[in-house]
């Protein structure tokens, strides 16, 4: 086990709703990033948080937002859900924010938007 | 053009076979390279980092060709347990994100 935990594991929402996904990083890791993985695709980078601040963002609209807390846990919020938001959302932690080194992934939250 | 491109497969091979995957990347400034493994409906896990000099870990060998901007993974003596999707991953200089390919699916058959 990686020590990265995510909740909920599965959820179903309807278009226009909002969702919050949660992640607890591995002990000692101060950097958390979020990825979206659509079926049959590789994970796509959403954003990264380091010491409670966003320090990198991928090509996702502003309705994707996040937070990191003092204990380094994190939330991903998605507003105005669209059908294409249906995906596996993966949280990953690492021990440095510089972009190198291994990512440790949680098992993901599988979101279905109807 | 995608930043990281892989043949999606599937590669169907018998146990004991040797199989090779290639991956190309578009950002010539990329600094770090990895292969991750993802089992069905599970999270990706690091298989191995890829170094310029090439590196080996048991039955797995990774190579990097910076001039041609491609990365390879060789699996020798395939096991049933090697069946998974193999993700090629690149990290650009100064970039905080890892860029994943879409993955190559391997199915090892008895």
């Amino acid at each position: 086990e990686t020590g990265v935990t995510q909740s909920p594991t599965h959820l179903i929402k309807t278009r226009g709703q909002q969702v919050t996904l949660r992640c607890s990083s591995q002990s000692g890791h101060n950097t958390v990033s979020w990825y979206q993985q659509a079926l049959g695709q590789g994970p796509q980078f959403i954003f990264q948080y380091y010491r409670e601040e966003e320090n990198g963002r991928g090509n996702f609209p502003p309705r994707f937002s996040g937070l990191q807390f003092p204990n380094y846990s994190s939330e991903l919020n998605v507003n105005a859900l669209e059908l294409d938001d249906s995906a596996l959302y993966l949280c990953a932690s690492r021990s440095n924010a510089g972009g190198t080194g291994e990512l440790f992934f949680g098992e993901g939250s599988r979101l279905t938007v109807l | 053009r995608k930043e990281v491109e892989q043949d999606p497969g599937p590669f169907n091979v018998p146990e004991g076979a040797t199989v090779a995957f290639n991956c190309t990347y578009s950002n010539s400034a990329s600094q770090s390279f990895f292969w991750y493994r993802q089992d069905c409906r599970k999270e990706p896990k690091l298989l191995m980092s890829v170094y310029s000099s090439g590196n080996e870990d048991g039955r797995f060998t990774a190579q990097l060709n910076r001039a041609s901007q491609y990365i390879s993974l060789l699996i020798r003596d395939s096991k049933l347990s090697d069946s998974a999707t193999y993700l090629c991953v690149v990290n650009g200089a100064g970039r905080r994100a890892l860029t994943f390919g879409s993955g190559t699916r391997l199915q090892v058959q008895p």
Side-chain angles (χ1 to χ4, degrees), chain B residues 25 28-33 50 52 64-70:
Chain B
Y25 60 95
S28 60
S30 297
Q31 297 277 319
S32 306
F33 309 89
V50 186
S52 297
L64 168 64
N65 185 320
R66 286 189 184 270
S68 302
Q69 293 181 211
Y70 82 77

Side-chain angles (χ1 to χ4, degrees), chain B residues 7-13 21 104-107:
Chain B
D7 180 343
F11 284 60
N12 295 302
V13 303
F21 308 137
T104 298
R105 193 155 66 89
L106 171 66
Q107 185 67 46

Side-chain angles (χ1 to χ4, degrees), chain A residues 63-81:
Chain A
R63 60 190 185 83
F64 286 78
S65 62
L67 285 173
Q68 187 179 33
F69 301 99
N71 65 356
Y72 303 134
S73 65
S74 178
E75 285 184 356
L76 165 65
N77 299 289
V78 187
N79 294 321
L81 284 167

Side-chain angles (χ1 to χ4, degrees), chain A residues 2 35 37 40-45 48 55 90 94 97-103 105-107 110, chain B residues 2 32 34 36 38 41-46 87 91-92 94-103:
Chain A
T2 64
Y35 286 77
Q37 187 174 24
Q41 300 297 314
Q44 300 295 309
F45 176 68
Q48 177 173 283
N55 76 339
L90 293 160
R94 56 159 40 123
T100 60
E102 181 178 359
L103 282 180
F105 284 92
E107 293 189 358
R110 191 168 298 277
Chain B
K2 290 183 178 180
S32 306
F34 310 91
Y36 274 70
Q38 187 170 26
R41 303 186 75 82
K42 292 289 201 178
E43 74 277 19
K45 293 183 179 177
L46 179 67
L87 298 161
N91 170 235
R95 290 181 59 181
R96 297 180 173 89
L98 293 184
T99 302
F100 286 76
S102 296

Side-chain angles (χ1 to χ4, degrees), chain A residues 2-9 11 19-27 29-35 46-49 65-77 89-94 103-109, chain B residues 43:
Chain A
T2 64
V4 179
T5 58
Q6 293 187 241
S7 64
T9 55
L11 69 166
V19 67
T20 297
L21 308 178
R22 295 178 175 84
C23 170
S24 294
S25 61
Q26 185 172 2
S27 177
H29 286 183
N30 57 18
T31 303
V32 172
S33 50
W34 286 90
Y35 286 77
I46 303 175
F47 43 57
Q48 177 173 283
Y49 279 84
S65 62
L67 285 173
Q68 187 179 33
F69 301 99
N71 65 356
Y72 303 134
S73 65
S74 178
E75 285 184 356
L76 165 65
N77 299 289
Y89 288 85
L90 293 160
C91 170
S93 73
R94 56 159 40 123
L103 282 180
F104 294 87
F105 284 92
E107 293 189 358
S109 294
Chain B
E43 74 277 19

